[in-house]
Amino acid sequence: MAGGRFSPALLVLLYHVLFGSSSFQPALVLDMAKILLNNYCFPENLVGMQEAIQQAINSGEILKIYDRKTLASVLTVGVQGALNDPRLTVSFEPNFVPVMPPALPSLPTEQLIRLVRNSVKLEVLKNNVGYLRIDQIIGEETATKLGPLLRDNVWNKVANTSSLIFDLRYSTAGELSGVPFIISYFSDPEPLIHIDTVFDRPSNTTKELWTMSSIMGERYGKQKDLIVLTSKRTMGAAEAVAYTLKHLKRANIVGERSAGGSVKVEKIRIGDSGFYITIPVARSVNPITGQSWEVSGVSPSVNINAKEAVANAQNLLAVRSAIPRAIQSVSDIIRQYYSFTDRVPAFLQHLESTDFFSVISEEDLANKLNNELQSVSEDPRLMIKLTQDHPSLHDMPKIPTAQEVGYIIDTLFKIEVMPGNVGYLRFDMMADIEVMRAIGPQLIKLVWSKLVNTDTMIIDMRYNTGGYSTAIPLLCTYFFDAEPLRHLYTVFDRSTTTMTEVMTLPQIQGQRYGSTKDIYILTSQMTGSAAEVFTRAMKDLNRAKVIGEPTIGGSLSSGTYQIGNSILYASIPNQVVLSAVTGKVWSVSGVEPHVAAQANDALSVAQRIIASRLLKQDKGK
Ligand SMILES: *[C@@H]1O[C@H](CO)[C@@H](O)[C@H](O)[C@H]1NC(C)=O
Ligand SMILES: *[C@@H]1O[C@H](CO)[C@@H](O)[C@H](O)[C@H]1NC(C)=O
C-alpha cells in the first residue's frame, strides 16, 4: 500500500471508475479528493490525483448511476484499487451519527482503577513462569496517573518471575502512547531504544516513540525469556507491542497472525452530502523493518490455534530454559574431548557469542548448534544429533557364536580370483578385533586361503562405510613381512591424552600376502571411518595404489556424548591420527586416490591398469 507515486496507470483506473460509471456531482468528487489530500497517511501516493480528477471532469465522460449505495461501492472499489489500500471505503449513510469514544484520562480515578483491574490479569504458573494478560493497553496519561497502582499490582509482581507469558490475545483496543511504557519494562534503562515512528497526516507531524530511561517500579529487563501470545483478534496498540518485541528479538510470538489494524482511522463526511469516506490518517513505521504491523498484522514465530497458545508457550519456555545448560554442556564436551585442541578456544568463543533467540524446539537447538559448530570447524565429524532412543555410548561389539560365524563370513566377504591370477576381496564392514579373532580360523579357511596365492590383489572398499578400528593393524599385517615390524600410524586420544603407535603384528594366523605383490584399493565417497583409516595407512606406507573417488573424510573414532540430560547428543572426534611417515596429523578430508575414477568404473580401471602392467612385464621378459 505504501510507496509508489500516483502512477499514470492508477490515474486511468480512478478516472474510469469515478467518471466512466457515475453521475456523481463533480464538486463532490473534488471534495473527496481534497479530504484524501489533507488526511490520507500516504500523501506521497496522491501526487497528481487532483489534476487527474479535474481533467476527467473537464472531459465530461460520465455514466449515470442513480442508486447511491451502488455508487458508494463503485467508489470504494475505485479508490481502493487506485491507492491499493483496503482500508479506504466510501459509504452512503445519511443518518450517520459519529460516536466519540470516551476519553479515558478524563474518567474519575476510581473508574480507571476498576477498568485496569478488569483488563489486567496476573498469575504465577508452575516453574515460576509469570502469566500477564492485558486486554487494553492504556495510554500515556492514564499510565502516569495510575503509576503506583500498576507498580504495586503488576510490574513489581511480574519482576519476580523467571520468565513471562504475556497474553495479548484479547487485546483489541488500546492507545499507541502506552506502547513505550510496556516496551520499557522489557528493556534495559540504557541505551534508549527507538520503537516506532508515527506520522499523523492531519497535523502533518511525525512523532518518534522511544523507550524511557526511568519508569515506575521494577523492570523485567531484557534477559529473562518472554513470550507474547496473539490471536487473530489482537489489534492496534497490542500489535505494536508484539511487532516491536518481535523485531527487537525480545519476545517470541506464539498464536495466530494478529488482526492487522491501523494506528488511526477516521470517517469523514464528504462535503454536506450523506457520503462518508473512511481513511487511515496516521501510520506507523518500525525503525528496524521499515514496515508496520498495520493491515498485514504480526506473524507469530509459532503459528498455532490461539486456544492452545498458553500450553504451547509453557512448553516453549521449558525448551528455551534448557538452552544455557545445553550450551554449557557442549562447551565442556568440546573442551574435554575434541581432538584438535588448537581449535577449541575459537569454538567456545563462537558458541558464547551465538544468538539462540530463534530457537523454538529441541530440533531447532540441535540444528543451530550443528550449523554453528560446522561453520567454525568445517569438520563434518563434529555433529549434534537429536535422538529419542539413547545411543549406546560405549557400544561393545557382539562376539558371534560358532553357528553365526559361517553366516557372517558369507554375508560380509565377497571373493573371486579373476583372470591373470588377480585376487578380488570385498568386505563392507570393519569388524572388531575380538570378532576377527572369533571368526579367524574359518575366515582363513573360507576366504583367505583362496586369495593368498594370487599375484595381485584388488581390495574393494567402495561399499565399506567403516566400523571398528581395532582390527586395522591385523588387516594391514597380512600385507607386510614379519620383519621388520612396520609403524602404521600414531593415534592421539584426547579423552585419555595418550599417544599410541600402531604397528604391524609380529604373529598372525595363516600365511602373509607379503610386502612385494601389487595391491589396489578401490574407494568411493562412501568409504569411511575405519575403512578410510586402512586405506590411508596403506597409501601412506606406499603399499597400495588407490583407485576411485576421494573417501568420505574424517576417519577414526568419534565419541558420542549426551548433552546435559537432554535428548541431544554430540558426536565429537576425540582422536587425532599422525602419519607414521611424516609425523604430521592426517588431514580431516578424505583420502585422495592415486587414480581418480567414478566409483562404478573403479574396478574396470584397476583391471586395465593391472593388465597393462602384466603386458609390460611380459615384454620385459
Ligand atoms: C520479590 O522477591 C523479593 C526477593 O526474592 C522479595 O523480597 C519481594 O517481596 C518479592 N516481591 C513480590 C512482589 O513478591
Ligand atoms: C508537512 O511538513 C513538512 C515538514 O515537516 C513540509 O515540508 C510539508 O510541506 C508539510 N506538508 C503540508 C501539506 O503541509
Side-chain angles (χ1 to χ4, degrees):
M1 142 199 57
R5 317 239 318 161
F6 203 83
S7 73
L10 295 181
L11 281 178
V12 170
L13 185 67
L14 191 65
Y15 168 92
H16 280 293
V17 175
L18 288 185
F19 307 102
S21 62
S22 90
S23 64
F24 203 5
Q25 298 283 328
L28 223 53
V29 184
L30 282 173
D31 282 346
M32 188 179 88
K34 242 178 242 145
I35 292 170
L36 277 169
L37 281 172
N38 291 331
N39 295 280
Y40 185 47
C41 62
F42 291 99
E44 64 272 25
N45 293 1
L46 301 173
V47 174
M49 180 184 67
Q50 207 166 15
E51 294 76 1
I53 290 173
Q54 192 59 60
Q55 203 184 338
I57 290 171
N58 296 345
S59 76
E61 204 181 302
I62 287 171
L63 251 179
K64 299 198 187 322
I65 296 180
Y66 294 103
D67 177 53
R68 284 158 200 267
K69 294 234 168 184
T70 306
L71 181 57
S73 18
V74 169
L75 287 172
T76 297
V77 171
V79 80
Q80 280 184 0
L83 293 168
N84 191 22
D85 188 335
R87 296 171 296 176
L88 291 162
T89 55
V90 178
S91 54
F92 180 68
E93 301 173 79
N95 304 317
F96 177 73
V97 183
V99 273
M100 294 298 286
L104 280 187
S106 61
L107 295 176
T109 307
E110 290 311 304
Q111 216 174 319
L112 280 180
I113 291 175
R114 210 172 322 124
L115 185 140
V116 168
R117 285 237 157 95
N118 288 338
S119 64
V120 177
K121 188 176 158 198
L122 177 62
E123 270 180 69
V124 179
L125 311 176
K126 68 168 193 275
N127 298 327
N128 199 29
V129 171
Y131 170 86
L132 173 64
R133 168 175 157 182
I134 296 185
D135 294 352
Q136 177 164 7
I137 291 174
I138 54 175
E140 187 177 3
E141 248 180 282
T142 318
T144 308
K145 211 162 158 182
L146 300 182
L149 175 88
L150 295 170
R151 176 194 59 203
D152 297 341
N153 292 297
V154 180
W155 297 114
N156 283 4
K157 284 184 179 163
V158 165
N160 270 13
T161 59
S162 316
S163 55
L164 184 67
I165 298 173
F166 185 18
D167 192 351
L168 294 175
R169 288 175 299 169
Y170 312 93
S171 190
T172 53
E175 288 178 48
L176 216 55
S177 66
V179 174
F181 281 82
I182 294 180
I183 306 297
S184 297
Y185 278 99
F186 299 114
S187 318
D188 290 338
E190 299 288 338
L192 298 184
I193 302 165
H194 181 189
I195 299 170
D196 205 347
T197 301
V198 179
F199 169 63
D200 182 78
R201 177 61 192 94
S203 62
N204 192 31
T205 53
T206 299
K207 191 175 171 196
E208 291 187 350
L209 304 185
W210 287 74
T211 52
M212 299 177 293
S213 56
S214 88
I215 47 177
M216 203 177 266
E218 256 187 86
R219 282 175 199 263
Y220 203 63
K222 65 172 199 184
Q223 295 308 328
K224 291 192 270 191
D225 236 332
L226 175 64
I227 292 178
V228 172
L229 309 186
T230 54
S231 75
K232 54 178 182 282
R233 292 162 57 206
T234 304
M235 190 138 118
E239 292 186 279
V241 169
Y243 192 85
T244 305
L245 291 173
K246 173 181 168 175
H247 291 290
L248 285 173
K249 291 189 163 192
R250 179 63 191 90
N252 279 294
I253 314 290
V254 171
E256 296 162 342
R257 180 184 283 276
S258 67
S262 297
V263 173
K264 198 173 174 194
V265 172
E266 280 182 7
K267 190 161 173 173
I268 301 170
R269 191 172 182 186
I270 305 175
D272 28 277
S273 72
F275 285 91
Y276 288 81
I277 179 162
T278 301
I279 302 180
V281 296
R283 75 192 205 206
S284 145
V285 176
N286 179 285
I288 294 168
T289 63
Q291 304 195 336
S292 165
W293 45 270
E294 293 180 274
V295 187
S296 49
V298 185
S299 64
S301 349
V302 180
N303 205 330
I304 194 167
N305 193 309
K307 283 200 200 97
E308 294 158 35
V310 175
N312 190 286
Q314 282 179 287
N315 290 341
L316 179 48
L317 285 173
V319 167
R320 292 191 49 85
S321 70
I323 295 175
R325 249 178 298 134
I327 296 167
Q328 184 58 50
S329 172
V330 170
S331 302
D332 291 345
I333 291 167
I334 288 174
R335 191 182 300 119
Q336 210 173 338
Y337 298 113
Y338 188 49
S339 48
F340 296 95
T341 40
D342 52 329
R343 300 193 195 163
V344 169
F347 276 131
L348 301 188
Q349 208 169 15
H350 186 80
L351 277 182
E352 219 164 86
S353 62
T354 299
D355 179 5
F356 287 88
F357 172 74
S358 61
V359 169
I360 55 175
S361 65
E362 275 170 313
E363 203 171 355
D364 268 0
L365 180 58
N367 289 339
K368 179 86 182 164
L369 285 169
N370 221 359
N371 291 343
E372 296 302 328
L373 292 181
Q374 295 281 321
S375 75
V376 195
S377 70
E378 290 171 0
D379 183 342
R381 302 170 303 164
L382 195 60
M383 266 186 308
I384 307 291
K385 291 177 283 199
L386 181 144
T387 166
Q388 297 293 345
D389 35 65
H390 291 229
S392 42
L393 301 185
H394 310 283
D395 47 348
M396 294 301 289
K398 200 173 148 287
I399 307 299
T401 63
Q403 288 92 332
E404 286 168 335
V405 168
Y407 174 77
I408 290 181
I409 291 173
D410 252 15
T411 48
L412 217 57
F413 293 89
K414 239 181 154 174
I415 57 166
E416 201 182 324
V417 178
M418 296 175 162
N421 200 24
V422 175
Y424 172 86
L425 169 63
R426 167 178 160 184
F427 54 101
D428 297 350
M429 205 190 83
M430 300 293 276
D432 174 69
I433 185 74
E434 295 303 327
V435 176
M436 289 296 279
R437 287 204 178 111
I439 65 177
Q442 288 276 67
L443 189 60
I444 285 168
K445 192 168 136 216
L446 297 174
V447 175
W448 189 240
S449 64
K450 294 179 180 154
L451 295 173
V452 73
N453 292 318
T454 54
D455 296 328
T456 305
M457 175 109 66
I458 296 173
I459 303 174
D460 194 346
M461 288 281 165
R462 289 176 296 172
Y463 312 96
N464 196 323
T465 52
Y468 295 90
S469 57
T470 44
I472 297 170
L474 174 64
L475 183 58
C476 289
T477 299
Y478 281 92
F479 303 104
F480 292 95
D481 298 328
E483 294 278 334
L485 294 184
R486 295 295 302 264
H487 178 193
L488 297 168
Y489 49 86
T490 302
V491 176
F492 171 66
D493 193 311
R494 254 322 293 284
S495 27
T496 55
T497 59
T498 47
M499 285 272 204
T500 310
E501 288 197 352
V502 177
M503 310 289 292
T504 53
L505 309 175
Q507 282 178 347
I508 49 172
Q509 297 174 17
Q511 196 186 330
R512 290 174 191 252
Y513 201 67
S515 62
T516 52
K517 293 189 275 187
D518 284 347
I519 297 171
Y520 297 84
I521 299 178
L522 311 184
T523 57
S524 78
Q525 290 168 11
M526 273 161 52
T527 309
S529 129
E532 183 172 75
V533 173
F534 168 74
T535 307
R536 200 187 293 267
M538 295 289 278
K539 184 186 173 193
D540 223 17
L541 295 176
N542 237 339
R543 185 61 194 92
K545 237 189 179 48
V546 181
I547 299 173
E549 294 167 349
T551 58
I552 199 165
S555 63
L556 266 205
S557 150
S558 287
T560 301
Y561 307 92
Q562 188 175 15
I563 299 175
N565 45 18
S566 69
I567 54 169
L568 303 189
Y569 291 82
S571 178
I572 308 278
N574 52 14
Q575 294 185 338
V576 192
V577 185
L578 307 159
S579 162
V581 178
T582 64
K584 288 194 183 140
V585 172
W586 271 354
S587 155
V588 238
S589 54
V591 181
E592 283 296 329
H594 292 103
V595 180
Q598 299 263 318
N600 282 339
D601 302 332
L603 180 57
S604 51
V605 170
Q607 285 173 308
R608 269 205 301 279
I609 291 173
I610 293 167
S612 75
R613 288 194 62 139
L614 286 177
L615 204 63
K616 266 188 218 150
Q617 280 170 12
D618 285 350
K619 279 187 187 151
K621 272 180 200 161

Short mmCIF file of all heavy atoms in Angstrom, two decimals, residues 37-38 43 199 201 203-206, ligand 2:
data_model
loop_
_atom_site.label_atom_id
_atom_site.label_comp_id
_atom_site.label_asym_id
_atom_site.label_seq_id
_atom_site.Cartn_x
_atom_site.Cartn_y
_atom_site.Cartn_z
N LEU A 37 -6.35 14.29 0.24
CA LEU A 37 -5.09 15.04 0.23
C LEU A 37 -4.72 15.56 1.61
O LEU A 37 -3.55 15.60 1.97
CB LEU A 37 -5.20 16.23 -0.75
CG LEU A 37 -5.03 15.87 -2.22
CD1 LEU A 37 -5.35 17.08 -3.10
CD2 LEU A 37 -3.61 15.38 -2.49
N ASN A 38 -5.71 15.95 2.38
CA ASN A 38 -5.42 16.53 3.70
C ASN A 38 -5.33 15.50 4.82
O ASN A 38 -4.88 15.83 5.91
CB ASN A 38 -6.50 17.55 4.08
CG ASN A 38 -6.43 18.77 3.20
OD1 ASN A 38 -5.35 19.12 2.71
ND2 ASN A 38 -7.56 19.42 2.96
N PRO A 43 0.53 10.51 1.79
CA PRO A 43 0.33 11.60 0.83
C PRO A 43 1.16 11.41 -0.44
O PRO A 43 0.76 11.85 -1.51
CB PRO A 43 0.76 12.85 1.61
CG PRO A 43 1.56 12.35 2.76
CD PRO A 43 1.05 10.98 3.07
N PHE A 199 3.51 8.85 11.86
CA PHE A 199 3.22 10.06 11.08
C PHE A 199 1.72 10.29 11.12
O PHE A 199 0.93 9.40 10.80
CB PHE A 199 3.71 9.87 9.64
CG PHE A 199 3.23 10.94 8.70
CD1 PHE A 199 3.63 12.27 8.89
CD2 PHE A 199 2.40 10.63 7.64
CE1 PHE A 199 3.19 13.27 8.03
CE2 PHE A 199 1.95 11.63 6.77
CZ PHE A 199 2.34 12.96 6.97
N ARG A 201 -1.15 12.50 9.50
CA ARG A 201 -1.32 13.35 8.33
C ARG A 201 -2.08 14.65 8.60
O ARG A 201 -1.62 15.73 8.21
CB ARG A 201 -1.99 12.54 7.19
CG ARG A 201 -2.28 13.34 5.93
CD ARG A 201 -1.00 13.89 5.32
NE ARG A 201 -1.29 14.87 4.30
CZ ARG A 201 -1.35 16.18 4.51
NH1 ARG A 201 -1.16 16.66 5.72
NH2 ARG A 201 -1.60 17.01 3.53
N SER A 203 -2.28 16.56 11.13
CA SER A 203 -1.46 17.58 11.77
C SER A 203 -0.11 17.70 11.08
O SER A 203 0.71 18.54 11.45
CB SER A 203 -1.26 17.22 13.25
OG SER A 203 -0.57 15.98 13.35
N ASN A 204 0.13 16.85 10.09
CA ASN A 204 1.40 16.81 9.38
C ASN A 204 2.58 16.75 10.35
O ASN A 204 3.56 17.48 10.22
CB ASN A 204 1.53 18.01 8.42
CG ASN A 204 2.69 17.84 7.44
OD1 ASN A 204 3.04 16.72 7.06
ND2 ASN A 204 3.32 18.95 7.06
N THR A 205 2.45 15.89 11.37
CA THR A 205 3.54 15.78 12.34
C THR A 205 4.04 14.34 12.40
O THR A 205 3.29 13.40 12.15
CB THR A 205 3.09 16.16 13.76
OG1 THR A 205 1.92 15.40 14.09
CG2 THR A 205 2.80 17.64 13.88
N THR A 206 5.33 14.21 12.72
CA THR A 206 5.93 12.89 12.87
C THR A 206 6.42 12.77 14.30
O THR A 206 7.10 13.66 14.80
CB THR A 206 7.12 12.74 11.90
OG1 THR A 206 6.62 12.87 10.58
CG2 THR A 206 7.77 11.37 12.05
C1 LIG B 2 4.40 18.81 6.16
O1 LIG B 2 5.59 19.12 6.87
C2 LIG B 2 6.75 19.10 6.12
C3 LIG B 2 7.91 19.41 7.00
O2 LIG B 2 7.79 18.78 8.23
C4 LIG B 2 6.65 20.12 4.99
O3 LIG B 2 7.80 20.03 4.19
C5 LIG B 2 5.43 19.84 4.17
O4 LIG B 2 5.26 20.85 3.18
C6 LIG B 2 4.20 19.81 5.03
N1 LIG B 2 3.07 19.43 4.20
C7 LIG B 2 1.93 20.08 4.23
C8 LIG B 2 0.90 19.55 3.29
O5 LIG B 2 1.73 20.99 4.97
#
